[in-house]
């Protein structure tokens, strides 16, 4: 058979080049100031690199235990118990993952079966729906709308069916910067009580919650914790998104299944990075001060944009803030974003990219995970719009 005849049947036929790639390439071509990506453009603590280097020199260069280096699992369990009051067993209920992405993927692959339904909220992180489809299951979106993007719990209730296997939730939320409040937690408890629905809780921005509000980890709420898989990311917490280390927390019966997938997907996460992260976690100030660190950046960007015509929406957490522009231009958000790059030299993300049906509410996402000079320069350009 000639080689060109080898055309695999796609498991994800609707997935093409994403707007993120398009924006990234256009931004690079126009040398735009980049407020689009969630990755920090500033360095991690030098100690963290030193610890990783030391771990390599000490010979920690072979496979880590499948569930993670025990010192790191113990540090994670101790942190979670201190902050959220739930004691996960480091042996059975904590697994170090090769990124939060791998944690999410392993959890969905382990727990969602063909024909199941998974409720998730749009705008959504781009991997959620494809992960579900790869299991032969159906992603069931619940739409959040500008400007407040509150969760319509009545609609969630209406979408729960006997086939609902999982609710996938993300707080602090990318891209809206919303965080769950007490009423959301009560609604989630009420809707899931007496069901076998699993909550997959993407908490990668757990340490980035503003204005003194608490982070409502599922592990903080006993009834939710017993049906939840919590996913977290060291990349987001320690400014090392390229290291690809995160973790999952779950009751043992759920974790047993998740580990079966993790074991055969990657076996284990990077060894020297795990030693380095365990050592850094001995000084909790690094992550405990993260909300303050990012709140200053949020406030700097808000202040630098005070003369802009964009209408900023309040960010309560995460690396992101939304801005409405419908009163300035009737352009589609992707066209508006492309024009900002080409004419004004500043890159942002159109929020329609986070809806599978491209819902366009004339809103763009700005990332403030950038050094102050970049934030100020980006804001100056946005003030010209
Ligand atoms: C909401 C959300 N979940 C998960 C991830 C992925 O985290 P990681 O880099 O650890 O895979 C991101 C990264 O941007 C994110 O914004």
């Amino acid at each position: 058979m000639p080689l060109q005849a080898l055309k695999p049947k796609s498991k994800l036929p609707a997935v093409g080049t994403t707007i993120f790639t398009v924006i990234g390439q256009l931004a690079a071509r126009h040398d735009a100031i980049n407020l689009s990506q969630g990755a920090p453009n500033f360095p991690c603590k030098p100690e963290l690199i030193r610890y990783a280097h030391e771990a390599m020199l000490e010979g920690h260069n072979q496979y880590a235990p499948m569930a993670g280096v025990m010192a790191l699992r113990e540090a994670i369990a101790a942190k979670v118990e201190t902050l959220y009051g739930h004691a996960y067993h480091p042996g059975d209920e904590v697994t170090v993952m090769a990124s939060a992405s791998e944690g999410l993927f392993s959890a969905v692959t382990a727990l969602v079966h063909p024909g199941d339904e998974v409720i998730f909220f749009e705008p959504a992180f781009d991997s959620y729906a494809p992960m579900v489809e790869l299991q032969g299951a159906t992603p069931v979106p619940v739409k959040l709308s500008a400007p407040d993007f509150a969760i319509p719990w009545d609609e969630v209730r209406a979408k729960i069916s006997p086939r609902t296997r999982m609710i996938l939730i993300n707080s602090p939320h990318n891209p809206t910067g919303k965080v769950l409040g007490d009423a959301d937690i009560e609604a989630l408890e009420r809707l899931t009580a007496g069901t076998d629905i699993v909550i997959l809780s993407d908490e990668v921005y757990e340490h980035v919650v503003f204005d003194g509000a608490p982070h409502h980890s599922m592990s903080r709420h006993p009834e939710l914790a017993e049906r939840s898989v919590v996913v977290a990311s060291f990349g987001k917490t320690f400014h090392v998104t390229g290291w690809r280390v995160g973790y999952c927390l779950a009751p043992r019966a759920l974790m047993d299944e998740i580990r079966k997938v993790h074991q055969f997907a990657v076996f284990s996460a990077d060894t020297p990075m795990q030693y380095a992260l365990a050592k850094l976690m001995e000084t909790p100030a690094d992550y405990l001060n993260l909300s303050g660190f990012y709140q200053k950046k949020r406030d700097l960007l808000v202040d630098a944009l005070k003369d802009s015509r964009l209408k900023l929406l309040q960010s309560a957490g995460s690396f992101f803030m939304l801005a409405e522009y419908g009163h300035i231009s009737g352009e589609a958000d992707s066209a508006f974003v492309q024009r900002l790059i080409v004419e004004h030299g500043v890159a942002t993300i159109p929020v329609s990219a986070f809806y599978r049906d491209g819902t366009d509410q004339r809103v763009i996402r700005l990332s403030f995970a950038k050094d102050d000079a970049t934030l100020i320069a980006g804001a100056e350009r946005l003030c010209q719009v």
Side-chain angles (χ1 to χ4, degrees), residues 16 40 73 75 77 113 118 129 144 168 200 247 259 282 295 300 308 360 384:
R73 282 191 269 160
H113 294 253
V118 175
L144 314 179
L168 208 173
L200 178 55
Y247 61 88
R259 283 186 182 174
E282 289 170 12
Q295 188 169 321
L300 177 77
S308 151
D360 181 355
Q384 309 300 316

Side-chain angles (χ1 to χ4, degrees), residues 339-357:
R339 190 163 66 76
L340 292 186
I341 295 173
V342 175
E343 291 180 14
H344 297 279
V346 56
T348 60
I349 295 282
V351 171
S352 63
F354 298 86
Y355 291 88
R356 300 243 290 171
D357 65 1

